[in-house]
Amino acid sequence: MTTMATAAPARASQTWYRILYVQVLIAIVIGAIVGWLWPSVATNDWVKALGDGFIKLIKMVIAPIIFCTVASGIAHIQDAKKVGRVGVKALAYFEIVSSFALVLGLVMGNLVQIGHGLAVKPDAAAVANYVKQAEASKTVDFFLNIIPDTVVGALARGDVLQVLLFAILFGFSLMALGERGQRLRGMIDDVAHAVFGVIAIIMKAAPIGAFGAMAFTIGKFGPAALGNLIGLIVLFYATAAIFVVVVLGLIARIVGFSIFKFIIYIKDELLIVLGTSSSESALPQLMEKLERLGCSKPVVGLVVPTGYSFNLDGTNIYMTLATLFIAQALGVDLTFGQQLTILLVAMLTSKGASGVTGAGFITLAATLSVVNPALVPGMAIVFSIDKFMSEVRALTNITGNGIAAVFVSWWEGELDDATLHARLKQPTAGIDTRSSRR
């Protein structure tokens, strides 16, 4: 800890253009300009490959990071009941906070009824593929899919929940081995350090990935795609901001810190997510930063990966807002019972389609088909702007999972308050400090 205190001023005086979040922010702005002014260049396959390639590089290391972090964390715990206790607390937290996100989306959608008077003729063919995927997605299949066919297959595919399940079982096995498992635990820790070193190398390409992803998005969909639907985008952005500041801010205040300081602390990860529209692109780095923030390593290992399937606050807000918007645009009045059904169905569908490409849109299709099948063709209304809302979904999701890890660590009595406040006061002290990891 002393090393970190002396190293922080040096990083604070680092040349501005060498700071990662500055580079990513500049790349996002340049990407947006290129996509706007030269869409033919921005939609080139090679430009798109810049963003896709960076995300693939990050996904390449997610599985080993989760396995090493979770297995090692559990193996170092002496009480097996603690793991189950942390899991129950995390799931309880997820369901409560997700409910707040869903209710907030419904309240804002009813208060600001921007869908009324929107003269549109939805094209059902444009969203037929998403509807088909939604119909094929069942909650029971989701839970069965948590069990991998083979361990190697789970690691190869990078399926977060499958890797998490095996890591938990492997961690319990190491715990039972006692002293005999000490050497293997040490090897897993060393592998984790090495993989985090790989992440540090990959992150140097973050500005390139952010530029490619943003340029392609703006170039393909363009400002013209916003049109009359700008109101829904603004309302969604505002609702997500209210959720982060009020709901997550209150949770942060209960623990004893400011949500704004936390956002500044993870600004690198937020900008990477903004540029790539993928919350997974910052998952490994977020886990490392949360550990440095004073969170318990086992808690981070269990809460963050699980949260990527069970704690999708941004997706929940999107589903309730979009459902009401589509109903208003099509002139369909939803009863109180139907709106209550939205809450119940969305709570399930947001989990059932996790890990699927376009999950936010697929879960919307599943929700609409249950609430009122007449609303399904209306998905085409928001299809053109879905990409512009995916960034905020991802930003809200990653912020929510970060706060969840801090809260559960505090609830479990394993949050280092001194480290928490020290890091939040000097957020740059948390950058590139792999030597501080235990």
Side-chain angles (χ1 to χ4, degrees):
M1 302 304 293
T2 306
T3 304
M4 289 304 305
T6 56
R11 292 188 182 88
S13 61
Q14 186 180 18
T15 308
W16 66 272
Y17 57 82
R18 292 181 179 273
I19 300 174
L20 179 63
Y21 76 86
V22 174
Q23 294 175 349
V24 173
L25 184 59
I26 293 174
I28 290 173
V29 173
I30 295 175
I33 293 174
V34 171
W36 175 37
L37 299 179
W38 300 285
S40 60
V41 175
T43 53
N44 183 280
D45 288 343
W46 287 102
V47 174
K48 182 177 185 294
L50 295 177
D52 292 345
F54 174 73
I55 294 176
K56 289 186 69 175
L57 284 172
I58 291 294
K59 288 185 175 181
M60 173 181 70
V61 296
I62 287 178
I65 280 295
I66 290 177
F67 173 77
C68 293
T69 302
V70 175
S72 175
I74 292 177
H76 284 88
I77 298 175
Q78 301 300 320
D79 182 12
K81 293 181 180 179
K82 175 182 174 181
V83 179
R85 187 172 66 245
V86 170
V88 170
K89 288 181 177 180
L91 290 176
Y93 173 91
F94 293 159
E95 295 308 309
I96 293 173
V97 177
S98 294
S99 297
F100 275 108
L102 290 167
V103 171
L104 179 61
L106 277 181
V107 170
M108 294 297 290
N110 280 293
L111 289 178
V112 188
Q113 299 186 9
I114 56 176
H116 283 305
L118 189 64
V120 291
K121 293 183 178 179
D123 179 12
V127 296
N129 185 49
Y130 292 96
V131 175
K132 187 181 297 183
Q133 292 185 61
E135 291 173 349
S137 299
K138 298 179 180 178
T139 304
V140 65
D141 294 332
F142 166 70
F143 284 103
L144 282 177
N145 190 53
I146 295 177
I147 305 173
D149 294 328
T150 65
V151 173
V152 176
L155 291 170
R157 289 190 304 272
D159 191 304
V160 173
L161 286 182
Q162 291 185 354
V163 173
L164 180 62
L165 174 63
F166 177 68
I168 291 173
L169 297 176
F170 196 85
F172 275 118
S173 178
L174 281 179
M175 182 195 303
L177 285 176
E179 292 297 325
R180 289 186 298 166
Q182 186 172 356
R183 182 179 299 178
L184 185 54
R185 285 196 298 267
M187 289 177 59
I188 293 176
D189 288 339
D190 289 340
V191 171
H193 290 156
V195 176
F196 275 112
V198 173
I199 293 172
I201 297 173
I202 294 174
M203 293 311 297
K204 296 183 184 301
I208 298 175
F211 164 78
M214 184 58 67
F216 179 79
T217 297
I218 300 298
K220 182 176 181 180
F221 298 97
L226 305 182
N228 294 330
L229 300 177
I230 189 69
L232 176 59
I233 297 176
V234 172
L235 178 60
F236 179 53
Y237 279 42
T239 305
I242 291 172
F243 176 81
V244 171
V245 173
V246 177
V247 179
L248 297 184
L250 178 60
I251 296 171
R253 182 54 57 192
I254 292 174
V255 177
F257 66 96
S258 167
I259 185 65
F260 299 106
K261 289 185 177 180
F262 181 80
I263 290 174
I264 293 173
Y265 179 74
I266 62 169
K267 59 184 178 297
D268 288 11
E269 291 69 35
L270 293 177
L271 284 173
I272 291 169
V273 168
L274 176 64
T276 61
S277 298
S278 171
S279 54
E280 284 188 350
S281 62
L283 186 151
Q285 197 176 4
L286 175 68
M287 293 175 66
E288 186 183 16
K289 272 197 170 181
L290 288 171
E291 287 182 38
R292 292 203 215 111
L293 195 60
C295 295
S296 166
K297 182 177 180 179
V299 171
V300 171
L302 287 171
V303 173
V304 176
T306 308
Y308 270 68
S309 289
F310 290 89
N311 190 39
L312 303 174
D313 300 322
T315 303
N316 287 331
I317 294 172
Y318 167 78
M319 283 193 293
T320 49
L321 269 182
T323 300
L324 289 179
F325 175 82
I326 291 171
Q328 293 160 9
L330 295 179
V332 177
D333 292 327
L334 296 178
T335 64
F336 176 78
Q338 287 177 314
Q339 294 199 28
L340 184 61
T341 301
I342 295 175
L343 295 179
L344 300 176
V345 174
M347 187 67 74
L348 295 175
T349 56
S350 64
K351 300 168 178 58
S354 62
V356 180
T357 302
F361 214 58
I362 293 171
T363 54
L364 176 60
T367 303
L368 291 175
S369 62
V370 174
V371 175
N372 189 337
L375 299 177
V376 175
M379 288 179 59
I381 301 173
V382 298
F383 181 72
S384 61
I385 60 168
D386 181 72
K387 186 63 177 177
F388 291 96
M389 295 191 285
S390 65
E391 284 87 352
V392 177
R393 285 201 301 263
L395 288 170
T396 308
N397 289 342
I398 191 174
T399 305
N401 283 320
I403 294 295
V406 178
F407 183 84
V408 176
S409 292
W410 170 80
W411 191 1
E412 188 65 13
E414 295 193 358
L415 178 65
D416 190 331
D417 289 329
T419 301
L420 172 71
H421 293 292
R423 297 291 189 198
L424 293 182
K425 285 182 180 179
Q426 294 183 322
T428 53
I431 300 176
D432 194 22
T433 54
R434 295 183 306 279
S435 59
S436 67
R437 289 179 58 83
R438 295 184 295 276

